Each structure stands twice: as structure tokens, then as C-alpha cells.
Amino acid sequence: MEADVFVGRETELADVSALLERVRHVTLTGPAGVGKTCLALRLADALEPAFPGGVHVVELSEAPTDLDSLAETLADAIGVRREPGTPALRGLVEEFLARRTLLVLDTCDRAVGATGILVGLLLRSVEGLRVLTTSRQRLGLPGEHLYPVGGLPDADAVHLITVLAGDRLGDTDPAELCRRLDNLPLAIRLAVAEGSPDSCGTLDGLAACLDGRPVSTAGLAAFDGHVTSPDELASALEGRTVPVAEREIHASGIGAAPRERTGAPRRHSSMRVALGWSHELCTPQERLLWARASVFAGTFDIEAAEEVCAGGALAAKDVLDGLLGLLDKSVLVREEGEGGVRYRLLNTVREFGLVWLERLGETDEIQRRHRDHYLALSARAEMSWQGRQLEWYRRLVLECGNMRGAIEYCYARPAEYRKGLDLVGNLWFLWACCGMQAPGDDLLQRGLDLDHTPSPERVKALWVHAWVSIQRGDLVRAERILSECAAEDADGYATAYVSQFKAHLAVVRGDVVEALRLIKHARVRHRSTGNVFPGFLPTYTVVATAMMLADHNDQAVSVLREGRELCESCGDYWTLIRLDLLLAQAEHALGNTSSALEYACTSLRGARLFGDSISLMEALEVFVVIAEACADDTFAATMFGASGAAWKDAGVPPSRSPMIASRFRAAELRLRGRLGRAEFDRLEARGGSIGLRDAVEHALQGDFS
């Protein structure tokens, strides 16, 4: 492996170079392994012509923590000549006064306080001095400008691992491996070293270490770890010492750092050592919070952190301070968006925390508390979904990793199977309404296979699974699941749902009489129990579809508009998507093209808000039918290609109603006839290349030119 390979960072190099022209002190911050040192050294080389007084690079990984000793060490490293008895600080000032100078202080973490004071004194005394520091936390000076350094962009990360590994990548997907390594340059370099011919021969072994298992022997090995004793662990977390750092971090000492390195410092010898350095910088409470927060998959909020991580030595009131401390030390990442402020551990940082959590003996307890929090959250979401659909969708999209982790915890323990089914069933709206049919299908099927004991949780999971199966076009399986649900539902809890989804299946078969009989029964039961959604309101789609099959389009429009009014009054915006899609078809059948297009666009906009890919794909087919009828052949053929490619990418058969299926096929045949084979194929391929998101945008604009 070439130690001096440097990839990318053009933006960072330009940004920091420009920043040092305007300000006097810049600190490169970021997590372990992100490449702060490499970036600083590259900047030192690039900026040398701009500093007549020279560029001095000094590594402070083993720096003393008192000001006088630090000044002495720095003066000796730079080679400052001074008379005996002259304070080191004065010698440094005199050294820097003559000409414009850049001082690069690398790895200030251990002496961050003394370094901050020294840098402040030097900057106040020497006007022409510029200082570039690297640290996992800020030095805290008033004039300090922080420049966060993140992982490499995807393309640069892939380029780096490809250059370093060559043909040793084997069948490993470099982009996926880099993603698991957070695109951290050090982690990528170490991954390649781990996969060198003198170890496992390829990188497959490392990929297996990062396959998402919480803590395993492979996971421990990935951090070059050895198991500490319980006493050592307790000492580390209580702040008496940190075994990892004390035993494993041996830097090459203080001094002027060489511009070209032939090897990495000891703290970069493994990700475990690099992260152990960060671990040592943390307070006892921060270390405990780090270990416990590693149970979260993806991002989490302060509410979750307090409920899951507080306890024992870490009080709930101290969790926020702990999070802020971990942020300041580049252990946590802060993200802010529509869902508010959330926090995240990088994959490598999380794996390190999971190792410590296991050694603490708290893994099962924290995972159980994590499960309890997300089970309660799923129940709250289900209870208030009807009136706050978009709010809950946007929140729970951010929690998918955590929800899945909570479900997997239950599925791994026979005594918890029922709670796993409960959690999966609570999230029916994600699986059926929000484009997550594939993961929902998998989780529902696995849970049902694990626990065959009849229970309310299992009955609910069965009708939800039937609904998802209908969405995915597996009507035979849906019929079987509904029969199983009816047989196990001794208390009649799911009777209305069984009738509702059997009515849907009857409509798809074109059996109008049976569909209306079944849906009438479902509507009566839903009314009697006050089940507005997902019970009563979605039944309007079955009633309207049956009327359209019977060629009573005027009546279908009236039913759909009545349903729209109820949905708007109840805050059921997802069912509005389905009703508007049917209104577009009914209005088109009545010859009302402008109304049809308006409803189709409204449906598309709503489905896009919910990430409802099934409704988006069905709406694209409605656009094909309307555009073809208006002789807009280019638009229609392009949309035909886009919808076909989207269904293929989804991996499920199109779930078309009988009306749209026949009209869609007829439109295709007419388009092929009018355009000719070559032109139709060209436009179809063009549509198939743009992707679902862009296809929806083009459909809303009505222009593919």
C-alpha cells in the first residue's frame, strides 16, 4: 500500500487556503481517520511560497499540558535560537516577527487548553503570523475559525480504495465498502491493509466485519482489539484511565513533522487506536453515553437519547451536555432538517462504541430499552396518524434504521416475537402507504413465520401483510393470507379488514357484485367501530372502482368527491391520493380531459410527498392514457417507457385496476401503430432512462421536449 497516496480534497485545499488569507487562525476539525493531518501537510506544502518566513509543522500528539513546557517543546521543535534564561515564548515571538510565517500545529487534542493559550499569545504578539491547527475539538480562541473536515466524496473514496487495493477488491463493491467505512481515508487505507495478501487475500473478510451485526468477534477484530478485563473497563469508563489509549497509543514524539511521511503515526495504526485517542479525550459520562448511543442505527433525537441512554452514572439531565461534549470532540455528527436536530455516530465510531457496550455488559439492557422506546413511538404514530400523516411520515422516515433494529432485536429472541409483530403491525402506514412495501413485506413475513401462535398481534400483522401483498401485485398470496387471518380471528377483530381486502381482490378480478357485497359489509363494520382510517375512508376506492367497471362513471365521480370531502375533514391525505387517481380516470372516461389532468397532477403531488412509489407509478400510466387520447404521442410514449422502467426497478408486477389495465394496453397499441416501431422504441428507451423522480417532474410539467 502506498502511504503517501492523496486523493481529492480540492475543495478543502482551496477553501482553507483562501480562509488563511482572510483570518489568522484556522482549526481543521473532524472525526478520527478523516484525514486532518494529511490535509494540513498538503496545505503546508502548497502554501509555503506565500510565507517568506517559512512554514513550520509541529506534531503535538505527546505534548505537555502546561503552557511553559509546551512553549519550550515548540521552540525546540522549530529550532529557535535563544540566550540562556530567555523564556521560550519570547524566543518564539522573536522568531516569527521578522517575516510572514505559517505555523501548523498537528494533533492538538491532548494539550488543547495549553495550545489554545499559546496560540492566542503568539497571535497577539506577531501580526504576520498565521496558524493552522488540527484537533478533534476546538481550541476555544475568540478568533478561531473552525473548518470541519468530512469523509471523502463518494467518487474520491472509490478512487482511493481502487488505487490502493487494485485487483484485491475481488467481488467487493468498492462504493458499498467505502460507505460502510464512512468514506474515511484512514479507514479505507486500513481496510486495504487488512485485506492484503498476507492476511485474507481479498477485502471480503473486512466487508463481512461491517455487515451490520451489532457486536461480534469479527467486529472486534476490525478494530485491532484485545479484550480488556472487567476491572480495566470499569476504570476506563469511570475516568481513572483509558486502557486503549494508555497501552496502544505511542506517537513518535513531539517535533517538527516531516513533510513526506513514509509511515503513519502509531495512533493511525488501526481504527481502534485512532478512536481510542478520541475516547481518552472524553469525560466518563461522555464515554458512557458514546457506548450506549451506539445502539442507535442512523440518526436519533434528544428524546430517544434521554430515554434509551440515561441511567446509573448518566442522569437524564446530563444527556444533553454529554451529546454536546461528544459533538465538540467530533465523535457525534449533528444534522438539522425538517425533523429538527438529530445526532448520528459514524459507522466506525458506532462499532467502537458497541464493543465498549458489550464489555460493559449492557448490550441487552440498552437494546431492550431501545426497543421499548421505538415500540412506544410506533404506537403513538399509529394513534395520531390520521390527522398528522405528513408530520409522522417525515419523522419516521428518519427512524427506519432504528425501527428495523428494534424489530430485529425482537426477532432474535423467542420471548419477544410477539412484541416484534406488534411493532411491525403498528407501522402498517409505512409499509402500505409510503413506498416501503418491500421491507415491510420482508419484516411481516419473517415475523409471521417465527410466531404461529394465534394472537391479536398476529391477526393484525396478517391483514397488514395481505394489504402489502395486494400493493405488490401478489394477489394469490393476499387471498391465502386473508383466509388465514379469518381463521385465526376468534374475536372478529379483523372481520372488516378481511371483507375490505377481499372486496379489493374481487374488483381486480372484475367481479362487481361480489366486490360491492363485501365492501358494504366492511363499511358497516368500520362505521360501528368508528374506524375511519385505515378502515372506512379507503373503502371509497373499492366502491368507485366497482361503479367504473359497471360503466357508471358519473356515479363514481359523485362517490369519489364525497370521499374527498370526508378525507379533507379528517386529515386523511393519503387516501386523497388514491381518490384523485380514480377521479382522473373517471373524468377521462367522461371526456373531461382538463379535469382528468388536474386530478392526475394532484395525485402525483400528494404521492410524492409521501414517497408513495406505487401511486406514482400508477399515476404515470394514467398520464399515458390521457396523453395518448389527446394525440400527444411523444409525451405518451416517453411516459410509457418511464412507467415501465419504474415498475421493473420496483421488482413487482404493475398493480393496475381493470379499467386502467385495458385502457393502458389499448393506448400502447395505438401509439405503436402511429409512431412506428423504431420511433416508439426510441421514445420508450428515452423515458426508461430518466428515473421515477424525474419522470414525475416531467409529468407535472407536461413537457418532455
Side-chain angles (χ1 to χ4, degrees):
M1 180 177 69
E2 296 294 332
D4 59 350
V5 173
F6 187 91
V7 171
R9 299 300 193 195
E10 290 84 1
T11 298
E12 290 88 342
L13 290 167
D15 286 350
V16 178
S17 297
L19 193 56
L20 283 169
E21 288 294 321
R22 303 193 307 273
V23 303
R24 302 185 62 203
H25 177 206
V26 177
T27 297
L28 305 180
T29 64
V34 79
K36 300 181 293 296
T37 294
C38 289
L39 179 59
L41 293 176
R42 186 56 60 104
L43 281 162
D45 287 336
L47 293 173
E48 191 163 15
F51 290 92
V55 175
H56 300 283
V57 180
V58 182
E59 186 185 57
L60 302 182
S61 59
E62 291 287 339
T65 57
D66 65 285
L67 180 61
D68 291 338
S69 298
L70 180 63
E72 291 277 356
T73 302
L74 185 58
D76 291 343
I78 293 175
V80 175
R81 295 189 181 90
R82 52 196 169 92
E83 296 296 328
T86 302
L89 179 59
R90 180 184 298 177
L92 287 167
V93 170
E94 291 174 354
E95 176 75 17
F96 297 144
L97 271 175
R99 291 180 296 176
R100 191 168 185 258
T101 303
L102 174 64
L103 177 62
V104 180
L105 301 179
D106 183 32
T107 317
C108 302
D109 309 88
R110 282 194 167 181
V112 67
T115 303
I117 294 172
L118 180 59
V119 168
L121 291 171
L122 290 173
L123 288 172
R124 284 196 296 272
S125 303
V126 184
E127 185 176 350
L129 180 65
R130 294 288 189 274
V131 179
L132 176 65
T133 52
T134 74
S135 175
R136 300 177 197 190
Q137 58 186 317
R138 69 184 70 216
L139 272 62
L141 297 177
E144 180 183 26
H145 288 255
L146 297 182
Y147 188 90
V149 181
L152 292 168
D154 292 343
D156 288 342
V158 169
H159 179 55
L160 176 61
I161 199 170
T162 303
V163 168
L164 294 174
D167 57 7
R168 286 184 289 121
L169 281 169
D171 295 331
T172 305
D173 178 2
E176 173 63 13
L177 181 54
C178 289
R179 183 191 66 78
R180 294 183 180 190
L181 296 168
D182 306 305
N183 287 0
L184 297 179
L186 178 61
I188 291 171
R189 291 171 183 273
L190 293 171
V192 173
E194 183 72 19
S196 61
D198 58 355
S199 55
C200 60
T202 71
L203 296 183
D204 293 341
L206 184 86
C209 293
L210 295 168
D211 67 357
R213 292 189 295 263
V215 178
S216 63
T217 302
L220 290 165
F223 288 95
D224 189 33
H226 52 265
V227 179
T228 62
S229 70
D231 290 340
E232 289 175 318
L233 175 65
S235 297
L237 289 173
E238 290 170 8
R240 295 197 295 271
T241 183
V242 179
V244 173
E246 293 294 334
R247 290 197 305 267
E248 297 188 66
I249 298 178
H250 305 290
S252 56
I254 307 296
R259 296 293 178 81
E260 296 296 333
R261 295 189 175 192
T262 57
R266 172 61 181 165
R267 69 180 184 277
H268 291 168
S269 62
S270 75
M271 279 305 297
R272 185 173 189 270
V273 172
L275 289 165
W277 185 285
S278 293
H279 198 256
E280 186 183 54
L281 299 175
C282 296
T283 67
Q285 286 186 326
E286 289 167 355
R287 294 170 197 159
L288 187 57
L289 179 57
W290 180 351
R292 291 176 176 176
S294 64
V295 75
F296 292 107
T299 63
F300 58 94
D301 58 19
I302 181 65
E303 175 192 346
E306 288 175 344
E307 290 195 11
V308 175
C309 300
L314 182 63
K317 65 181 179 62
D318 297 324
V319 169
L320 179 57
D321 287 341
L323 292 174
L324 295 176
L326 292 175
L327 277 172
D328 188 52
K329 296 174 178 66
S330 301
V331 173
L332 270 183
V333 177
R334 183 181 187 273
E335 298 179 357
E336 189 167 358
E338 289 184 344
V341 175
R342 298 180 67 82
Y343 305 93
R344 177 170 59 89
L345 291 168
L346 298 179
N347 293 331
T348 47
V349 176
R350 180 175 180 244
E351 284 285 340
F352 183 90
L354 285 169
V355 171
W356 282 98
L357 189 65
E358 178 74 7
R359 294 178 181 179
L360 272 172
E362 290 192 355
T363 298
D364 194 69
E365 167 66 15
I366 298 300
Q367 285 182 338
R368 182 189 59 76
R369 287 160 60 176
H370 176 273
R371 187 278 314 280
D372 289 346
H373 173 76
Y374 286 102
L375 178 58
L377 184 65
S378 72
R380 282 165 49 200
E382 182 185 32
M383 287 290 292
S384 54
W385 170 258
Q386 182 177 300
R388 299 165 54 193
Q389 291 179 345
L390 279 173
E391 177 187 341
W392 276 112
Y393 166 68
R394 288 167 179 160
R395 178 171 182 180
L396 292 186
V397 160
L398 302 175
E399 301 286 12
C400 283
N402 285 308
M403 289 292 181
R404 181 160 198 133
I407 294 166
E408 296 292 354
Y409 170 84
C410 295
Y411 284 0
R413 295 160 176 80
E416 305 286 350
Y417 287 164
R418 186 171 295 184
K419 285 190 175 180
L421 275 179
D422 192 16
L423 207 165
V424 173
N426 288 346
L427 297 173
W428 55 263
F429 47 88
L430 289 183
W431 317 139
C433 307
C434 301
M436 301 184 192
Q437 287 83 7
D441 188 24
D442 172 67
L443 292 169
L444 286 159
Q445 184 65 65
R446 286 174 54 204
L448 291 166
D449 288 344
L450 286 170
D451 185 5
H452 292 276
T453 306
S455 66
E457 294 85 359
R458 178 174 165 82
V459 168
K460 182 178 181 179
L462 283 167
W463 67 254
V464 173
H465 197 205
W467 190 2
V468 172
S469 297
I470 291 171
Q471 294 272 39
R472 289 173 61 79
D474 195 340
L475 306 184
V476 173
R477 184 175 66 172
E479 188 84 54
R480 175 182 56 77
I481 294 171
L482 288 171
S483 297
E484 189 175 354
C485 183
E488 294 188 17
D489 186 21
D491 297 327
Y493 163 75
T495 299
Y497 288 115
V498 171
S499 296
Q500 179 178 338
F501 295 123
K502 282 190 173 181
H504 190 117
L505 294 172
V507 159
V508 173
R509 293 194 300 266
D511 190 341
V512 173
V513 174
E514 180 66 2
L516 289 174
R517 182 188 71 80
L518 288 166
I519 206 64
K520 179 180 179 181
H521 175 261
R523 285 165 69 89
V524 169
R525 290 296 296 264
H526 285 319
R527 274 202 200 98
S528 68
T529 59
N531 183 1
V532 178
F533 186 80
F536 185 73
L537 290 176
T539 63
Y540 276 92
T541 62
V542 177
V543 175
T545 302
M547 290 180 173
M548 292 164 69
L549 280 172
D551 204 24
H552 298 315
N553 291 297
D554 285 324
Q555 292 180 5
V557 168
S558 297
V559 167
L560 290 166
R561 288 179 177 168
E562 176 187 306
R564 283 192 100 259
E565 291 179 5
L566 285 173
C567 286
E568 288 177 339
S569 66
C570 295
D572 179 8
Y573 298 105
W574 181 79
T575 300
L576 275 175
I577 297 167
R578 308 301 302 174
L579 298 180
D580 285 341
L581 195 56
L582 288 171
L583 271 166
Q585 298 174 50
E587 293 284 15
H588 173 66
L590 293 169
N592 301 325
T593 301
S594 60
S595 293
L597 284 171
E598 181 181 350
Y599 282 120
C601 287
T602 303
S603 180
L604 266 185
R605 293 189 187 98
R608 186 169 57 177
L609 288 174
F610 283 95
D612 183 0
S613 55
I614 298 293
S615 292
L616 289 174
M617 293 185 290
E618 290 183 11
L620 290 183
E621 295 185 335
V622 173
F623 272 93
V624 172
V625 171
I626 296 173
E628 186 279 327
C630 296
D632 192 348
D633 291 355
T634 298
F635 182 94
T638 308
M639 194 72 71
F640 179 92
S643 64
W647 283 113
K648 183 177 180 181
D649 290 343
V652 296
S655 55
R656 305 175 182 128
S657 68
M659 299 88 60
I660 197 64
S662 60
R663 292 169 186 168
F664 186 75
R665 178 58 178 164
E668 177 191 357
L669 293 173
R670 288 192 292 268
L671 283 170
R672 289 182 181 276
R674 291 201 297 263
L675 289 169
R677 179 177 178 179
E679 180 64 3
F680 181 89
D681 289 349
R682 184 185 73 82
L683 293 171
E684 181 185 19
R686 178 186 177 190
S689 67
I690 64 175
L692 180 59
R693 178 179 298 182
D694 289 340
V696 168
E697 187 60 34
H698 287 309
L700 290 172
Q701 295 174 1
D703 181 15
F704 277 83
S705 59

